[in-house]
């Protein structure tokens, strides 16, 4: 298939590109590099050994996107293009709503105009909100969010469901990611956040490589086994491979349908620190600090639907997640910046 990856130069998009190319698909990337580097696309070509067409384009720019649809015979879209900073979304909510909703509407309009019927969407566990019991299952209702980023995902899922109801030819797979970490095993591709990392694993790996002094653990008094928050971390290559199954599923089905992509097993912040230290031999200085606003004590996936319907399960364990993160970070201490 010819698969357009909107936002495909980013962390998850670039790893997914490699999985799709390895499986024999052709990949077209459209990215404005708002939160990524063109070097990531070069690394996708290097690691896969395959050509990749790449457009520097804002997915909100309808004329630019129409040109891309015109020039390529697209069978399916994977839509990663979004701003994803929870804290930043509280500071600049309008920019988040504009970008995330607009990319989605532009893609849907292009799909209608060019007769493209299949879409895989990067959704998030955040759509379950804080009212649902854990583990989260797809049968539960979407919740409400404590931040604009989460609301954009909730709204976008709703938009896709409404669009699929109105157009019986449309097929949308809503992939609710849990917490992707890790990197491509080659050490040539990985997560390269701009500025101070918001997420746990990139912060740990930057401490390990000497870019940051110590990790602050956000809260040590949660009602969890060791007092720190628990999340469902999965290897980014497992997540990438989930997109392969989703693309096939989208091609064979109609309507909008959600799938959790997680392992079903939670780990605490302290367990992640210890696993990283054991896997790499590098010690991570840390201090327990205040809770971060909006963090839930714990959540993880009921991952059984993806296994049953998509025949997908996460195969890589926490040791591999830590080892591959370190392989990437230690060989690329400044990320994609040479
Ligand atoms: P990322 O920031 O690395 O990738 C997103 C990409 O989209 C970037 O390359 C960015 O430049 C691009 N982009 C943003 N707005 C654009 C626009 N208007 N036009 C063109 N390109 C644009 O983030 P990621 O971690 O790879 O996440 C990918 C998707 O998965 C996002 O939609 C994110 O919300 C979602 N998600 C991520 C996580 C996570 O923990 N990383 C968890 C759940 C969901
Ligand atoms: N976390 C932390 N210190 C950090 C970054 C994150 O203790 O510098 C914790 C955070 O409170 C949460 C977990 O690590 O409990 C995962 O956070 P992340 O931002 O990676 O993912 P999310 O909040 O989306 O689950």
């Amino acid at each position: 298939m010819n698969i357009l990856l909107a936002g495909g130069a980013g962390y998850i998009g670039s790893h997914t590109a490699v999985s799709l190319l390895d499986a024999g698909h052709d990949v077209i990337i459209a990215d404005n590099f708002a939160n990524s580097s063109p070097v990531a696309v070069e690394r996708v070509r290097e690691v896969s050994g395959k050509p990749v067409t790449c457009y520097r384009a804002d997915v909100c720019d309808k004329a630019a996107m129409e040109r891309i649809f015109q020039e390529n015979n697209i069978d399916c879209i994977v839509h990663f293009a979004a701003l994803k900073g929870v804290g930043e979304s509280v500071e600049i909510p309008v920019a988040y709503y504009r970008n995330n909703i607009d990319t989605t509407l532009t893609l849907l309009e292009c799909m209608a105009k060019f007769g493209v019927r299949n879409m895989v969407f990067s959704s998030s566990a955040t759509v379950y909100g804080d009212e649902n019991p854990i583990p989260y299952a797809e049968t539960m209702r979407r919740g409400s969010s404590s931040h604009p980023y989460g609301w954009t995902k909730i709204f976008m899922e709703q938009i896709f469901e409404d669009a699929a109801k109105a157009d019986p030819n449309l097929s949308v797979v809503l992939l609710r990611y849990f917490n992707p970490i890790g990197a491509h095993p080659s050490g040539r591709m990985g997560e390269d956040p701009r500025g101070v990392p918001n997420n746990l694993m990139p912060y740990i790996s930057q401490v390990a490589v000497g870019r940051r002094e110590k990790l602050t653990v956000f809260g040590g008094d949660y009602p969890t086994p060791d007092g720190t928050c628990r999340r469902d971390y999965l290897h980014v290559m497992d997540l990438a491979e989930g997109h392969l199954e989703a693309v096939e599923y989208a091609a064979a089905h109609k309507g909008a349908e959600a799938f959790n992509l997680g392992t079903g097993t939670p780990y605490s912040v302290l367990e992640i620190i210890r696993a990283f230290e054991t896997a790499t031999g590098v010690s991570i200085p840390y201090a327990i600090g205040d809770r971060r606003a909006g963090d839930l004590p714990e959540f993880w996936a009921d991952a059984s639907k993806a296994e049953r319907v998509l025949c997908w399960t996460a195969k890589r364990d926490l040791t591999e997640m830590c080892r591959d993160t370190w392989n990437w970070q230690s060989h690329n201490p400044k990320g994609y910046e040479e």
Side-chain angles (χ1 to χ4, degrees), residues 6-14 30-37 57-61 65 79-85 99-100 102-103 121-126 149 152-153 156 175-181 191-192 194 199 239:
Y11 172 47
I12 302 169
S14 56
D31 204 301
N32 63 359
F33 303 107
N35 194 41
S36 54
S37 162
D58 188 330
V59 179
C60 303
D61 179 345
M65 293 313 293
H79 176 18
F80 303 98
L83 299 175
K84 63 164 185 174
N99 189 74
N100 293 3
D102 211 352
T103 52
F121 173 61
S122 296
S123 189
S124 166
T126 197
Y149 167 72
T152 69
K153 293 291 175 194
M156 289 187 285
L175 293 181
R176 295 176 177 166
Y177 308 157
F178 281 67
N179 287 58
I181 57 173
E191 188 166 11
D192 181 22
R194 297 207 165 155
N199 299 111
L239 181 60

Side-chain angles (χ1 to χ4, degrees), residues 199-250:
N199 299 111
L200 179 63
M201 191 49 108
Y203 206 106
I204 289 177
S205 62
Q206 290 196 8
V207 170
V209 85
R211 278 172 67 178
R212 320 240 160 234
E213 195 187 325
K214 66 171 183 340
L215 172 77
T216 302
V217 175
F218 297 143
D221 58 352
Y222 282 101
T224 58
D226 65 15
T228 66
C229 294
R230 295 201 298 167
R231 297 285 181 273
D232 184 337
Y233 297 93
L234 78 160
H235 197 296
V236 69
M237 291 310 300
D238 278 323
L239 181 60
E241 288 162 13
H243 292 75
L244 272 179
E245 308 304 333
V247 160
E248 302 289 346
Y249 189 83

Side-chain angles (χ1 to χ4, degrees), residues 125-180:
T126 197
V127 303
Y128 289 106
D130 51 13
E131 299 102 8
N132 279 307
I134 39 179
Y136 295 150
E138 296 88 343
T139 46
M140 295 170 184
R141 293 172 69 87
R142 282 185 289 268
S144 55
S145 181
S146 57
H147 45 81
Y149 167 72
W151 279 116
T152 69
K153 293 291 175 194
I154 293 166
F155 292 154
M156 289 187 285
E157 283 204 358
Q158 186 66 47
I159 290 168
F160 280 122
E161 284 178 3
D162 291 342
K165 248 182 240 155
D167 178 357
N169 290 315
L170 201 59
S171 173
V172 185
V173 176
L174 308 167
L175 293 181
R176 295 176 177 166
Y177 308 157
F178 281 67
N179 287 58

Side-chain angles (χ1 to χ4, degrees), residues 21-98:
L21 289 161
D22 286 351
H25 294 293
D26 289 315
V27 162
I28 302 122
I29 289 176
D31 204 301
N32 63 359
F33 303 107
N35 194 41
S36 54
S37 162
V39 178
V41 180
E42 284 166 28
R43 299 280 175 93
V44 170
R45 294 186 182 110
E46 176 196 309
V47 167
S48 67
K50 304 255 174 70
V52 174
T53 308
C54 180
Y55 295 87
R56 181 185 283 270
D58 188 330
V59 179
C60 303
D61 179 345
K62 188 126 172 255
M65 293 313 293
E66 286 189 350
R67 247 190 335 271
I68 294 172
F69 277 75
Q70 216 142 34
E71 288 175 12
N72 299 276
N73 195 9
I74 294 164
D75 299 301
C76 183
I77 297 161
V78 188
H79 176 18
F80 303 98
L83 299 175
K84 63 164 185 174
V86 169
E88 189 182 57
S89 79
V90 176
E91 286 159 25
I92 49 167
V94 177
Y96 268 66
Y97 286 116
R98 164 63 75 191

